[in-house]
């Protein structure tokens, strides 16, 4: 479980670093990034949402490991994670 926490922390850091425009642009970037991360490939991430960034080999390796971890999740857990992220990005209150 220690590796999973590290991977999630990496994902959050990557999202914070990469999104540096208006709030609307941030949400669009985050949603495209997360959708591609959950259902796409690492190559699609690098060509799509991360296409304008210089992604070094270490970051590519981290993205590959992150994608591998996410691919190993049960579908119901992926769905719950996506719902949570949409709730956070949408500013919805969970109560």
């Amino acid at each position: 479980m220690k590796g999973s926490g590290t991977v999630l922390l990496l994902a959050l850091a990557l999202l914070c670093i990469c999104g540096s425009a208006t709030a609307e642009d941030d949400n669009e970037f985050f949603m495209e990034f997360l959708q591609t991360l959950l259902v796409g490939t690492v190559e699609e991430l690098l060509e799509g949402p991360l296409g304008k960034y210089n992604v070094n080999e270490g970051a590519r390796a981290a993205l590959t490991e992150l994608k591998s971890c996410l691919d190993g999740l049960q579908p119901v857990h992926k769905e719950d994670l996506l719902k949570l992220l949409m709730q956070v990005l949408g500013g919805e209150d969970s109560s």
Side-chain angles (χ1 to χ4, degrees), residues 19-92:
S20 59
T22 67
E24 186 175 312
D25 288 344
D26 282 348
N27 280 346
E28 287 178 31
F29 171 83
F30 292 149
M31 290 307 293
E32 182 182 1
F33 179 85
L34 292 171
Q35 180 179 356
T36 307
L37 186 63
L38 288 171
V39 298
T41 65
V42 173
E43 291 76 24
E44 290 171 331
L45 274 172
L46 296 172
E47 293 170 2
L50 298 177
K52 67 181 181 179
Y53 300 98
N54 181 17
V55 181
N56 66 33
E57 287 303 312
R60 285 174 192 246
L63 285 168
T64 300
E65 185 173 343
L66 175 61
K67 179 66 178 141
S68 176
C69 289
L70 289 172
D71 287 347
L73 291 175
Q74 296 293 322
V76 68
H77 295 147
K78 279 187 184 182
E79 183 179 332
D80 288 341
L81 179 60
L82 183 58
K83 286 178 186 176
L84 174 62
L85 294 171
M86 289 175 64
Q87 185 179 33
V88 169
L89 289 173
E92 297 175 19

